[in-house]
Amino acid sequence: MELRCGGVGSQAGGRRMDGDSRDGGGGGGCKDAGSEDYENLPTSVSLSIHMTAGAMAGILEHSVMYPVDSVKTRMQSLNPDPKAHYTSVYGALKKIIRTEGFWRPLRGLNVMMMGAGPAHALYFACYENMKRTLNAVFHHQGNSHLANGLAGSMATLLHDAVMNPAEVVKQRLQMYDSPHRSALSCIRTVWGTEGLGAFYRSYTTQLTMNVPFQSIHFITYEFLQEQINPYRGYNPQSHIISGGLAGALAAAATTPLDVCKTLLNTQENMALNLANVSGRLSGMANAFRTVYQLNGLPGYFKGVQARVIYQMPSTAISWSVYEFFKYFLTKHKLENRTPY
């Protein structure tokens, strides 16, 4: 990311934070009071800045969109309680608040924030460093989509290792008529009755979902940035548009895997009883078979509307917040080093 201002498709040239320099045409850049500062900013960003910006992006993304995430979890239920049938995201939120209380859609937010901070710190730091390294290997001049996809996949391994336990607790708290009233009581119950492995029962499914999700996400984001922000300036509008579209596409494409992940995380009792599953359901293949057995092919796309509605603004928020903090922290660090 280049630290200068510019509109979408700006022709101004400059120095990029990821170390890739591009020369642009003259006079199309934004010349405001702070424009001279952009030329003096460094061409690389420290690991601590990537991690701090990533943590802020993750926490804000999940906090803002958490009520919609709660609805998505319930809409993916394979055999919901008659009182928990929903036809739309807005209708579901209204019904939950009216029948279960104003704060009910936020249950589990605390554990999600605790997981999202470190998970996204590792995620963005790994992605940025691997993207730079792999682009140097695959494509010496410019940007390689293969490198971006592989970097996103590698970052996912770290992200999901931290995030998976938080996902398990969060989704069990989000379910209708959940027996758990707090994150701590949920952790104690799951640990005591199912063991430590329960927090990673869906890890392989999570990776199977998130590796293609993040590959599609990062490739689409970087491609769109090349089209609407070719000189990679700090441009909030372009980050929001690229992030939102990339998230929507990746979310729709990977919904079947998300449905299976939700089933493995929640161990939905009514659905498992209908499928004659005794004990605990484990493994992606078993989850796929169970979903098909209960709902057929449409079952793989339960909650797709809520998933896209959740992911589109989530990724837009994540990228815009991440790029802002990366820009702000780098500029602030440089100013502190500059003698007056």
Side-chain angles (χ1 to χ4, degrees):
M1 183 185 74
E2 174 190 341
L3 291 181
R4 58 174 179 80
C5 66
V8 174
S10 169
Q11 297 299 308
R15 302 174 69 188
R16 290 158 46 105
M17 287 176 61
D18 58 11
D20 178 19
S21 297
R22 299 186 188 183
D23 296 324
C30 174
K31 300 294 184 182
D32 61 12
S35 62
E36 295 301 320
D37 294 338
Y38 299 132
E39 298 178 0
N40 299 321
L41 292 171
T43 57
S44 62
V45 181
S46 70
L47 181 66
S48 63
I49 288 179
H50 282 310
M51 295 186 76
T52 303
M56 294 301 298
I59 290 170
L60 286 171
E61 168 197 347
H62 286 284
S63 299
V64 171
M65 297 306 300
Y66 193 81
V68 180
D69 185 49
S70 294
V71 171
K72 175 186 74 73
T73 296
R74 292 195 180 192
M75 292 183 79
Q76 288 179 336
S77 174
L78 297 179
N79 189 43
D81 187 283
K83 296 178 182 177
H85 275 286
Y86 312 111
T87 57
S88 70
V89 175
Y90 178 67
L93 275 174
K94 279 192 5 180
K95 186 174 182 179
I96 292 170
I97 291 171
R98 186 178 68 250
T99 60
E100 301 175 55
F102 180 80
W103 298 107
R104 183 62 181 90
L106 296 177
R107 186 182 294 175
L109 176 60
N110 55 345
V111 73
M112 177 52 58
M113 292 176 65
M114 289 172 63
H120 279 71
L122 292 172
Y123 170 73
F124 277 107
C126 178
Y127 173 70
E128 293 281 10
N129 282 278
M130 292 307 303
K131 180 181 76 169
R132 185 166 57 248
T133 300
L134 292 173
N135 267 303
V137 173
F138 294 140
H139 205 278
H140 296 293
Q141 299 294 326
N143 195 31
S144 164
H145 295 308
L146 175 60
N148 297 335
L150 288 174
S153 299
M154 293 177 183
T156 300
L157 296 175
L158 292 176
H159 173 274
D160 287 2
V162 176
M163 202 68 175
N164 207 86
E167 282 279 344
V168 171
V169 176
K170 174 206 75 172
Q171 290 197 305
R172 295 200 183 202
L173 290 167
Q174 288 173 332
M175 293 296 286
Y176 176 77
D177 201 25
S178 171
H180 312 291
R181 290 295 174 262
S182 70
L184 187 58
S185 70
C186 181
I187 292 169
R188 286 173 175 166
T189 302
V190 173
W191 189 306
T193 59
E194 301 175 48
L196 180 62
F199 295 104
Y200 284 95
R201 187 178 286 125
S202 65
Y203 183 56
T204 53
T205 302
Q206 184 100 337
L207 286 178
T208 305
M209 176 186 73
N210 279 346
V211 166
F213 175 92
Q214 298 300 353
S215 296
I216 295 169
H217 170 207
F218 281 116
I219 289 171
T220 305
Y221 177 81
E222 297 288 355
F223 171 77
L224 290 172
Q225 281 289 288
E226 287 181 348
Q227 306 309 307
I228 63 177
N229 187 20
Y231 295 97
R232 308 307 287 271
Y234 171 60
N235 187 316
Q237 182 182 355
S238 75
H239 301 317
I240 291 170
I241 293 171
S242 300
L245 292 176
L249 178 62
T254 58
T255 295
L257 292 163
D258 192 46
V259 171
C260 294
K261 181 210 74 173
T262 298
L263 179 60
L264 289 171
N265 277 345
T266 60
Q267 296 291 308
E268 190 183 344
N269 289 327
M270 293 177 67
L272 297 184
N273 290 336
L274 278 177
N276 296 318
V277 175
S278 58
R280 302 293 173 183
L281 183 70
S282 62
M284 182 181 65
N286 290 330
F288 262 95
R289 279 195 293 268
T290 303
V291 172
Y292 185 78
Q293 180 183 345
L294 293 174
N295 292 103
L297 288 176
Y300 295 118
F301 291 93
K302 288 180 75 70
V304 63
Q305 178 195 36
R307 180 165 163 78
V308 171
I309 290 174
Y310 167 74
Q311 285 292 349
M312 191 170 187
S314 288
T315 47
I317 291 168
S318 182
W319 277 110
S320 58
V321 171
Y322 173 69
E323 297 285 7
F324 167 75
F325 275 100
K326 192 167 72 169
Y327 163 75
F328 174 78
L329 292 171
T330 303
K331 189 170 185 290
H332 180 70
K333 186 176 181 180
L334 180 68
E335 288 173 346
N336 286 342
R337 289 180 178 177
T338 303
Y340 292 95

